[in-house]
Amino acid sequence: MKHLILLLSVFVLAFHNNRGDHAAAPAPGAENKPLNVILMIGDGMGMAQVTAGLYANGGRLNLEQFPITGLMKTHSAKNLITDSAAGATAFSCGCKTYNGAIGMTAAKKPCPTILEQAEALGLATGLVATSSLTHATPASFIGHATDRQFAEEIATYFLKTNIDLAIGGGMKYFNHRKTDTRDLYAELQTKGYTMSNFAEKTFEQAMLSLSPEQPFFWFASNEEPASVEEGRNYLPIAARMAPTFLSQRSDKGFFLMIEGSQIDWACHANKGDKAVQEMIDFDEAIGEVLKFAEKDGNTLVIVTADHETGGLALLRGEDKESLSLKFTTDYHTASLVPVFAYGPGAELFSGLIDNTDIYVKMRELLRFPAIEAK
Ligand code: MG
Ligand code: ZN
């Protein structure tokens, strides 16, 4: 019964826009608009993934600190079931596009991303992921490609903006390229980046050479980073350092995207334990970001998902205290996903919204002008 009540309260939280006792303090700026925006994407993180993580973590998650919750539609231009590329492009550009599109409209025109806009207007920018940096979700913020498979093409976009911070895997797409002879790692170094990677330093060691004077890159792996189960631990640490670092890089504010990439992968593989570990790791990162936002008072934090993965159902377990995780598919589903918001402007993210609204609301809150795709 206790579990049922707890479970019901999860849904009550989601369906009513609850203003809890952690309500955000008003921002010092005009019109309650944030200086900084941190968008956190749990890839494949539906309600069931959140719920499973919550009970596996002793009934608590940092997500409970958010005063504003909402629900979001995730469909892409032509598919009720989106992929992560179209899902992330809805967040980064505000347009519904075809599955597989990276920062491209449905008409295959590059759409200006929120990260590119932020960079052009003098804000600091960052991407942190537990996938390769060229994988669909981070890729859709930095680059433009007609297909998510073009990882080497996507990597070149890291040299086209002046992104301040990038943390993730996929180093081979930068320095062991098959489509050309460029060494983007060396090029970034020449451009002034503090470059480091897993082969020479752990993330903690790499942070020792961190200086706000220089933009920073750290590669977690050549290909895709390890899972939590395999020992990956950099996401919460990166979530702790990134906001402070970016706030030192520009007084105009920053835009940061942090992705818990592997909740999705665990659910594709129908591995419930793994999905829960990835969910809890992502929630730890959320806790670190909230600590910054609470102290700063000028930062909007949005946590959401591009889609649900696995059609996860939480069934009665072996005893009253346990759940049995059952997947109904190895692909994504069309379920609405949760949205959590904290900080100046958070109230705009309540209700039942569309994935493209995330972009529109972020852009308006950051006072960026609307731009058309070229
Ligand atoms: Mg992803
Ligand atoms: Zn997926």
Side-chain angles (χ1 to χ4, degrees), residues 43 84 131 135-138 259 261 264-265 306:
D43 198 315
S84 295
S131 63
H135 207 272
T137 312
E259 184 195 22
S261 319
D264 176 66
W265 303 351
D306 46 0

Side-chain angles (χ1 to χ4, degrees), residues 114-120 123-127 142 161-166 245-246 249 253-256:
I114 189 101
L115 188 147
E116 288 171 325
Q117 281 183 278
E119 198 53 59
L123 283 78
T125 58
L127 290 176
I142 190 96
T161 71
N162 292 315
I163 189 167
D164 297 86
L165 174 80
F245 175 76
L246 292 175
R249 294 277 307 162
F254 66 80
F255 172 78
L256 168 65

Side-chain angles (χ1 to χ4, degrees), residues 21-339:
D21 47 16
H22 287 86
E31 303 164 68
N32 204 26
K33 288 188 171 175
L35 188 63
N36 315 310
V37 171
I38 305 176
L39 174 63
M40 303 187 72
I41 303 172
D43 198 315
M45 185 190 76
M47 295 294 285
Q49 285 77 3
V50 173
T51 312
L54 178 115
Y55 290 120
N57 199 42
R60 297 314 303 250
L61 284 180
N62 288 308
L63 278 173
E64 290 172 79
Q65 295 177 49
F66 286 78
I68 301 292
T69 54
L71 292 168
M72 193 178 74
K73 294 183 273 187
T74 66
H75 65 270
S76 58
K78 292 204 177 121
N79 296 70
L80 285 178
I81 297 181
T82 190
D83 82 324
S84 295
T89 300
F91 297 150
S92 68
C93 294
C95 64
K96 292 277 186 194
T97 189
Y98 59 94
N99 287 2
I102 302 291
M104 287 279 183
T105 66
K108 298 199 174 175
K109 289 180 178 170
C111 48
T113 76
I114 189 101
L115 188 147
E116 288 171 325
Q117 281 183 278
E119 198 53 59
L121 293 168
L123 283 78
T125 58
L127 290 176
V128 175
T130 52
S131 63
S132 66
L133 284 169
T134 55
H135 207 272
T137 312
S140 300
F141 287 84
I142 190 96
H144 308 277
T146 52
D147 194 294
R148 58 184 289 166
Q149 293 173 47
F150 302 147
E152 293 191 359
E153 183 185 332
I154 293 161
T156 64
Y157 282 91
F158 282 88
L159 278 132
K160 290 177 189 164
T161 71
N162 292 315
I163 189 167
D164 297 86
L165 174 80
I167 297 164
M171 187 164 72
K172 70 172 189 180
Y173 304 118
F174 289 76
N175 66 1
H176 284 104
R177 296 164 61 82
K178 292 179 180 145
T179 51
D180 60 33
T181 55
R182 287 177 74 179
D183 182 345
L184 304 182
Y185 192 98
E187 287 183 39
L188 285 161
Q189 211 148 23
T190 307
K191 208 179 160 185
Y193 283 83
T194 304
M195 302 294 294
S196 57
N197 65 77
F198 68 98
E200 49 186 41
K201 286 170 186 172
T202 65
F203 183 60
E204 278 141 311
Q205 288 164 342
M207 278 201 303
L208 298 175
S209 53
L210 190 69
S211 150
E213 306 303 312
Q214 282 184 304
F216 178 85
F217 248 82
W218 184 73
F219 284 105
S221 51
N222 268 320
E223 316 224 356
E224 295 304 336
S227 62
V228 168
E229 193 175 43
E230 292 159 334
R232 190 196 74 235
N233 66 358
Y234 69 83
L235 184 65
I237 314 169
R240 192 188 315 144
M241 66 68 78
T244 303
F245 175 76
L246 292 175
S247 65
Q248 291 166 337
R249 294 277 307 162
S250 171
D251 50 19
K252 290 185 176 162
F254 66 80
F255 172 78
L256 168 65
M257 193 288 290
I258 299 179
E259 184 195 22
S261 319
Q262 299 196 28
I263 301 166
D264 176 66
W265 303 351
C267 292
H268 277 289
N270 288 358
K271 292 195 170 149
D273 288 353
K274 228 173 162 172
V276 161
Q277 288 168 0
E278 295 294 336
M279 179 65 225
I280 293 172
D281 182 62
F282 184 53
D283 185 69
E284 251 178 73
I286 292 166
E288 296 294 345
V289 164
L290 280 177
K291 273 185 229 162
F292 173 88
E294 220 160 23
K295 219 186 298 167
D296 178 69
N298 233 336
T299 301
L300 168 67
V301 184
I302 307 153
V303 182
T304 189
D306 46 0
H307 52 74
E308 194 272 347
T309 304
L312 177 59
L314 306 180
L315 308 178
R316 197 163 48 174
E318 283 170 12
D319 57 61
K320 289 185 211 165
E321 301 293 316
S322 69
L323 292 168
S324 164
L325 276 58
K326 288 271 190 285
F327 292 92
T328 56
T329 174
D330 61 5
Y331 194 58
H332 308 156
T333 70
S335 290
L336 300 177
V337 295
V339 181

